[in-house]
């Protein structure tokens, strides 16, 4: 579950991470009031207006701007709220901005130059350890840094059993070229950031940039946070932060129906039981010359109601030219699945795309007979290759 910047910063602050302070506003008038409040609380004279959408690269799309007075705060907030923000991480249509974060200006003059760093905490799946990735090249796309100057990206792996050790935090501060007060501040920042990552059950924390201010404070100027969905049952305070407006509406609807669905850009809809079989089915579609339009796992049950719900979800995508149902009858009998497909088809009336049903496992032969004798425009298959050939035929 992705969070907005202001929500990620709230989590960071709750674990003692210094952040760039800000207040959320939903219209231009609220933005002006937020700016006035920030000036009282922080002394800032300038304000940064940031669009709150689930996408990076907001500045490149015009979603992050500096306001030097209250008139500019009102003008900039008014222009950003309601716009469709297009960034390198959005579709061509962009994302509508419903709110902005009015933040304090932290690039004030002082005794030293400001410096920007990149830092993220995530799981290294190949080693089963948490990892802090960091670089001196903050404020830039980390992908660009990795491509052009990979030697400037450092990683520090952390054993989940022992947690972050003090020498590791010092090593990170040293590699970032810090000394004195800034060095001490960075070690505290790293320790607090790692604690926030672990204790919030996050799958990723990305701070870009981490700023060393002119008076040697270390703070998070941005925050991109993803919470592990599987942990939300015990992190109900974070579950309440979910913004459904930022998510794919079809995926939201499928989730409410208990279906594991991911929208993709293809022409063959998939209905499968089991994540592993779903991945194999997507490979099958690719080999047959098609492109999977979705990942859809109906789970261990595939009765008529569940199959009908899955059909309706798949058919919401106008690009779907065929549907492949691939069920392994282990927990559930194939003949029951076949009857579910037939009942769902009849309940829905006419379905205007070809349907291939491959059922393998318990009572697969009976299931094939049910499909073949149903009188419906549904093609049955038993073998993987047979299903692939039928997909290729209907796409030709």
């Amino acid at each position: 579950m992705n969070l907005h910047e202001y929500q990620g910063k709230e989590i960071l602050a709750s674990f003692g991470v210094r952040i760039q302070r800000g207040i959320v506003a939903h219209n231009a008038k609220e933005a002006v009031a937020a700016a006035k409040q920030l000036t009282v609380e922080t002394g800032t004279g300038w304000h940064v207006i940031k669009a709150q959408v689930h996408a990076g690269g907001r500045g490149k799309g015009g979603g992050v701007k500096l306001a030097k007075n209250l008139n500019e705060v009102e003008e900039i907030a008014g222009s950003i709220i309601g716009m469709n923000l297009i960034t390198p991480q959005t579709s061509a249509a962009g994302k509508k901005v419903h709110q902005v974060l009015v933040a304090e200006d932290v690039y004030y003059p002082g005794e030293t130059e400001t410096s920007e760093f990149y830092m993220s905490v995530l799981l290294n799946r190949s080693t089963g350890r948490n990892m802090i990735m960091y670089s001196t090249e903050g404020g830039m796309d980390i992908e660009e840094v990795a491509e052009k100057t990979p030697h400037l990206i450092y990683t520090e792996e952390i054993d989940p059993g022992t947690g972050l050790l003090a020498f590791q935090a010092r090593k990170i501060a040293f590699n970032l070229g810090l000394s004195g007060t800034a060095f001490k501040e960075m070690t505290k920042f790293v320790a607090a950031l790692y604690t926030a990552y672990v204790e919030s059950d996050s799958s990723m924390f990305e701070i870009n940039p981490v700023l060393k201010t002119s008076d040697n404070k270390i703070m998070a100027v941005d925050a991109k946070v993803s919470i592990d969905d599987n942990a939300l049952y015990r992190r109900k305070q974070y579950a309440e932060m979910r913004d459904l407006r930022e998510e794919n509406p079809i995926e939201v609807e499928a989730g409410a129906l208990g279906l594991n669905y991911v929208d993709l850009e293809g022409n063959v809809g998939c209905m499968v039981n089991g994540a592993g079989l779903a991945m194999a089915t997507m490979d099958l579609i690719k080999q047959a010359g098609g492109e999977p339009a979705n990942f859809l796992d109906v789970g261990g049950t595939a009765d008529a109601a569940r199959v009908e719900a899955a059909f309706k979800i798949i058919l919401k995508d106008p690009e779907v030219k065929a549907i492949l149902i691939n069920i392994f009858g282990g927990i559930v009998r194939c003949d029951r699945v076949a009857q579910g497909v037939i009942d769902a088809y009849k309940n829905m009336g006419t379905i205007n795309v070809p349907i291939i049903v491959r059922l393998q496992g318990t009572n697969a032969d009976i299931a094939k007979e049910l499909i073949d004798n149903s009188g419906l425009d549904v093609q049955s298959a038993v073998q993987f290759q047979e299903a692939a050939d039928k997909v290729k035929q209907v796409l030709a």
Side-chain angles (χ1 to χ4, degrees), residues 302-305 307-308 311 334-345:
D303 55 21
V307 171
E308 184 176 344
F311 268 136
C334 290
D335 56 322
R336 289 186 176 176
V337 176
Q339 192 60 53
V341 171
I342 294 167
D343 293 345
Y345 195 110

Side-chain angles (χ1 to χ4, degrees), residues 61-125:
V64 178
K65 293 184 178 180
L66 178 66
K68 298 182 179 180
N69 54 58
L70 293 179
N71 288 334
E72 289 187 2
V73 168
E74 184 172 15
E75 179 184 344
I76 293 171
S79 65
I80 292 179
I81 296 173
M83 74 181 292
N84 282 332
L85 181 62
I86 301 173
T87 82
Q89 295 184 18
T90 67
S91 65
K95 284 194 170 186
K96 187 173 182 178
V97 181
H98 300 281
Q99 55 201 352
V100 294
L101 178 64
V102 182
E104 63 176 325
D105 173 34
V106 290
Y107 289 81
Y108 45 80
E111 58 194 57
T112 65
E113 293 292 325
T114 59
S115 300
E116 293 182 331
F117 309 109
Y118 171 91
M119 190 170 295
S120 61
V121 190
L122 62 162
L123 173 65
N124 185 340
R125 296 185 182 276

Side-chain angles (χ1 to χ4, degrees), residues 301-323:
T301 58
D303 55 21
R306 200 168 182 81
V307 171
E308 184 176 344
F311 268 136
K312 289 179 178 177
I313 291 293
I314 292 173
L315 292 171
K316 285 181 179 291
D317 185 348
E319 299 301 317
V320 170
K321 307 304 179 188
I323 297 175

Side-chain angles (χ1 to χ4, degrees), residues 199-217:
E199 295 298 325
S200 63
D201 282 321
S202 292
S203 55
M204 183 191 70
F205 263 100
E206 184 179 61
I207 316 298
N208 190 23
V210 174
L211 178 70
K212 182 196 79 67
T213 64
S214 59
D215 52 356
N216 291 312
K217 296 174 182 174

